[in-house]
Amino acid sequence: MPRRKSGRKNQSSTNKASLKSRESKRGQPIATTRRGGLPVNNAPQPIDSFSLVNANAAGIDIAASVHFVAVPEGRDPDANVRSFGSFTADLEGLIQWLTQCKITTVAMESTGVYWIPLYELLQSRGFEVLLAEPRQIKKFRRKTDVLDCQWIQTLHSFGLLTGSFRPEEKVLILRSYLRQRSMLVKQSAGHIQHMQKALEQMNIKLTEVLSDIVGFSGMSIIDAILSGQRDPRVLASLRHESCHHDEATIALALQGTWRDEHLFALKQAVDMYRYLLTKMAEVDHQIEVHMLTFEEKAPESALTKPKNRQSKKKHDIRFDVRKLLHRMCGQDLTTIDGIGDQAAIQVVSEIGLDMSKWPTEKHFVSWLCLCPELNKSGGKQQKKRKSKTQSSTNRVATVLRVGAQSLFNSKCSLGAFGRRIRARDGAAVAVTAMARKLAIIVYKMLRDGRPYVDRGAEYYDDRYRERVIKNLQRKVASMGYEMKPAA
């Protein structure tokens, strides 16, 4: 019996036939490609079908110690690609060469933090700088530094690159301060863990009887231990009166082995923790002073009382963040359910105050990666298939997701919306959906200057019920029937 030919061979023969037919029609051979679609010849190929957008464009491949720069052909009689070091003197020479070549716009990859000094220096000298994501460049060709800078220059010349978002200068400074503070908070959390480890190694079960060992009771007991006190009853008497456990229970937890090496580790961890607290206070002062330099968009008298007074946590910013944010933005972002003053200042420091960077709210939530990708089949208007949102490390999206998680049990309209989505698609999808709504609310408040008004869970439930009834009536009417409410 003859063997049946596989569909894969038939498909490959069909592809070969189609390639030959296209060659005969156009009169030009089709370029042979490697697996993955990359051309065999890695040299930049001419792009004849595109119009030149940026004639005076340069491309820069960024690295830690050397930068490769490509300019259009004919601008330098010696070579259109040069390499420069990463020292400040080398960057000055790079800018001087770009000026001699009459370059007005520059594109570069956002590689680590190595691009920041050159980016800021080029901007200060009047160049138009476009910061492109590496994914935009890697998907076309790879990989030598010289070919990279040439390809960046080619793509930018034809307007095929889009720039990354970068806020204005004052917002950049505020963002830098808040990121520095966030780093200090993370480091302090590590030293708290070191304190817990040293106590556990001495079999001191302080973490089992106190919810926070760096609170009033915990630090009082630890300071007494480091000062030489070993009597469990005396140590337990230092507890705060609002502590959940009584003195007898805490005294039982404070019976352990007082080894010198673990006491030494405990002392160093406490010293480092308190040192970081002082550094956090210094950053808080810098943040407060810098926020006062922003233009006043709303007087302090226009600020109403907060809807929900949130208690300050241990590592929160100490000054009145809500008042200064209202002065900067002209709106009170803390009126949004799920967003407190700490979350609001993080959002503002990342996105700034100018919402014209995103034409619509859809562009904004897409930048935050809070919307699912649109999947259609066959290129026709068919039923949309569900898809996950794109993975992202966007800090604003993280803050909004945390705020959304706190709304599942709230009586606001966002809480009712989240509970409905959670019952249908699960908690993860509901958190993303609520974070998307929070992002749209923030966008509209900063763009339009209109305050947020929550109508409550009952209003949302009633609106949803009316929508469901109208849909049912429409379906019943299409079948020739009529639906009426029960008597």
Side-chain angles (χ1 to χ4, degrees):
M1 174 179 271
R3 285 189 176 180
R4 183 180 298 174
K5 293 183 180 180
S6 65
R8 185 172 297 178
K9 289 186 178 180
N10 293 335
Q11 185 179 1
S12 63
S13 61
T14 305
N15 292 338
K16 290 180 181 178
S18 62
L19 288 177
K20 289 181 180 179
S21 64
R22 278 186 286 172
E23 288 182 5
S24 61
K25 288 180 181 179
R26 298 181 183 178
Q28 294 180 354
I30 296 176
T32 306
T33 58
R34 289 200 191 113
R35 185 178 181 181
L38 294 177
V40 175
N41 182 13
N42 279 335
Q45 302 295 323
I47 304 178
D48 300 327
S49 59
F50 291 98
S51 60
L52 200 64
V53 176
N54 301 310
N56 301 318
I60 304 179
D61 183 70
I62 302 292
S65 57
V66 63
H67 304 325
F68 285 85
V69 188
V71 297
E73 293 185 4
R75 299 300 176 94
D76 190 334
D78 296 331
N80 63 328
V81 177
R82 285 193 181 186
S83 62
F84 296 87
S86 57
F87 298 136
T88 303
D90 298 321
L91 301 185
E92 293 286 351
L94 187 155
I95 292 176
Q96 184 179 359
W97 185 60
L98 292 178
T99 305
Q100 292 174 358
C101 296
K102 299 180 180 179
I103 298 299
T104 58
T105 177
V106 179
M108 63 174 67
E109 282 184 300
S110 56
T111 307
V113 296
Y114 305 124
W115 59 271
I116 297 178
L118 181 57
Y119 182 97
E120 294 176 347
L121 196 57
L122 286 169
Q123 268 199 333
S124 65
R125 299 300 173 84
F127 289 90
E128 179 187 350
V129 190
L130 186 140
L131 184 66
E133 285 186 306
R135 287 180 296 179
Q136 293 190 58
I137 300 161
K138 287 180 181 178
K139 64 183 179 182
F140 291 107
R141 68 185 331 109
R142 222 48 178 165
K143 171 61 179 163
T144 67
D145 292 334
V146 175
L147 292 175
D148 267 356
C149 66
Q150 288 178 305
W151 188 239
I152 294 171
Q153 188 268 330
T154 302
L155 293 175
H156 188 38
S157 298
F158 290 99
L160 297 176
L161 295 178
T162 56
S164 300
F165 169 71
R166 190 166 169 83
E168 61 180 6
E169 184 66 22
K170 282 189 174 182
V171 179
L172 280 174
I173 297 174
L174 178 62
R175 185 179 73 175
S176 179
Y177 284 143
L178 283 167
R179 289 186 178 182
Q180 171 71 12
R181 193 182 190 282
S182 177
M183 183 189 67
L184 294 176
V185 172
K186 290 180 180 178
Q187 290 179 351
S188 66
H191 291 299
I192 294 174
Q193 292 177 338
H194 296 160
M195 294 162 60
Q196 293 173 343
K197 180 181 179 180
L199 291 170
E200 287 291 337
Q201 286 176 322
M202 293 185 292
N203 203 32
I204 304 298
K205 301 294 184 178
L206 196 60
T207 55
E208 277 72 16
V209 294
L210 296 179
S211 60
D212 185 13
I213 67 167
V214 293
F216 176 83
S217 300
M219 292 306 293
S220 300
I221 293 172
I222 290 175
D223 288 338
I225 290 174
L226 294 177
S227 63
Q229 182 59 250
R230 299 292 180 265
D231 189 347
R233 290 172 296 180
V234 176
L235 293 173
S237 64
L238 299 175
R239 61 181 280 277
H240 193 269
E241 59 184 7
S242 62
C243 188
H244 178 70
H245 291 282
D246 55 12
E247 291 188 16
T249 305
I250 296 178
L252 290 174
L254 294 175
Q255 295 177 2
T257 58
W258 309 102
R259 295 182 63 89
D260 292 339
E261 65 271 23
H262 301 321
L263 289 169
F264 179 76
L266 177 64
K267 183 179 185 307
Q268 286 205 322
V270 171
D271 292 342
M272 290 297 296
Y273 172 73
R274 283 183 168 150
Y275 173 76
L276 290 174
L277 289 181
T278 60
K279 294 303 167 185
M280 279 187 235
E282 293 177 6
V283 177
D284 289 349
H285 176 69
Q286 288 293 113
I287 294 173
E288 184 178 12
V289 171
H290 182 66
M291 290 179 72
L292 290 171
T293 63
F294 282 81
E295 178 186 359
E296 183 179 358
K297 294 185 177 180
E300 184 179 349
S301 58
L303 185 63
T304 59
K305 291 184 178 180
K307 181 174 59 175
N308 296 319
R309 173 63 68 180
Q310 296 183 350
S311 59
K312 289 280 186 181
K313 297 181 180 178
K314 185 176 300 297
H315 295 141
D316 286 349
I317 299 175
R318 294 293 100 185
F319 62 86
D320 194 346
V321 176
R322 179 172 172 264
K323 181 176 70 175
L324 292 183
L325 272 179
H326 180 262
R327 178 181 180 273
M328 285 172 50
C329 306
Q331 295 294 324
D332 185 9
L333 296 180
T334 62
T335 57
I336 305 174
D337 298 290
I339 296 183
D341 52 2
Q342 308 295 319
I345 191 174
Q346 290 180 25
V347 171
V348 171
S349 69
E350 294 292 334
I351 65 175
L353 304 174
D354 183 13
M355 295 295 103
S356 63
K357 303 288 185 180
W358 300 276
T360 64
E361 65 224 29
K362 293 183 179 180
H363 291 82
F364 183 58
V365 297
S366 176
W367 177 73
L368 293 174
C369 296
L370 290 176
C371 58
E373 297 180 357
L374 181 60
N375 289 330
K376 294 183 180 180
S377 178
K380 298 180 180 179
Q381 196 68 25
Q382 298 180 358
K383 184 179 180 181
K384 299 176 183 178
R385 297 177 294 175
K386 290 184 178 180
S387 62
K388 296 182 179 179
T389 56
Q390 185 179 357
S391 60
S392 173
T393 56
N394 193 295
R395 296 170 188 259
V396 179
T398 303
V399 173
L400 296 178
R401 288 179 188 273
V402 172
Q405 287 177 345
S406 65
L407 296 177
F408 279 124
N409 297 323
S410 66
K411 297 180 180 179
C412 61
S413 59
L414 284 173
F417 168 77
R419 288 189 289 272
R420 181 175 69 85
I421 301 298
R422 182 177 61 179
R424 188 188 68 185
D425 297 326
V429 176
V431 167
T432 301
M434 285 193 290
R436 178 184 175 275
K437 282 192 172 290
L438 287 174
I440 293 174
I441 293 170
V442 171
Y443 176 86
K444 290 183 176 180
M445 286 185 70
L446 294 177
R447 184 194 64 182
D448 303 332
R450 291 184 298 178
Y452 169 69
V453 179
D454 176 44
R455 305 199 175 204
E458 293 183 0
Y459 173 80
Y460 175 83
D461 291 335
D462 292 340
R463 288 285 304 275
Y464 176 69
R465 181 175 174 272
E466 292 175 3
R467 191 162 64 248
V468 171
I469 292 174
K470 287 183 179 178
N471 291 333
L472 290 175
Q473 288 176 343
R474 191 182 304 114
K475 288 182 180 179
V476 169
S478 65
M479 298 177 185
Y481 294 92
E482 183 180 358
M483 187 176 71
K484 294 182 179 180

